[in-house]
Amino acid sequence: MADSADPKYLDKRTAERYLRSGQLDEKAYERHVKSLPDVADKSVPVETHMLDDVDDFEDDEDDIDEDEDESDEGSEDEGSASA
């Protein structure tokens, strides 16, 4: 395995930079990519909803803010009475 590339150069996010600088051999990188197993059958679909697009979303944060406001009002009255 003497001709295998250093694993730090094989990271998909940095390989292009190492290829351009000559620190990574293009053929070694291609061998590495071809040797990777096909794991497409393990993938799962992901569905994302944006808050503006969801009609059924109830904003529970408003309820929490109202509860906090009510509890804050009581503590303000107590604070002004003792001053």
Side-chain angles (χ1 to χ4, degrees):
M1 291 243 308
D3 72 347
S4 64
D6 188 346
K8 74 176 185 178
Y9 298 128
L10 301 175
D11 188 313
K12 173 181 175 176
R13 299 165 292 184
T14 58
E16 184 178 325
R17 179 177 53 207
Y18 291 125
L19 286 167
R20 278 184 281 152
S21 69
Q23 293 176 312
L24 176 61
D25 180 48
E26 189 171 346
K27 290 181 181 181
Y29 183 67
E30 287 299 320
R31 279 194 307 271
H32 167 71
V33 170
K34 288 180 181 179
S35 72
L36 295 173
D38 183 6
V39 292
D41 58 328
K42 294 182 180 182
S43 67
V44 293
V46 176
E47 189 173 329
T48 303
H49 296 280
M50 302 304 290
L51 292 179
D52 294 340
D53 295 339
V54 180
D55 294 332
D56 298 333
F57 179 74
E58 290 185 22
D59 192 5
D60 293 334
E61 290 182 19
D62 289 341
D63 297 339
I64 294 170
D65 291 341
E66 290 172 6
D67 293 342
E68 289 175 0
D69 291 341
E70 291 172 7
S71 64
D72 288 344
E73 290 173 6
S75 63
E76 289 175 9
D77 293 338
E78 293 171 10
S80 61
S82 63

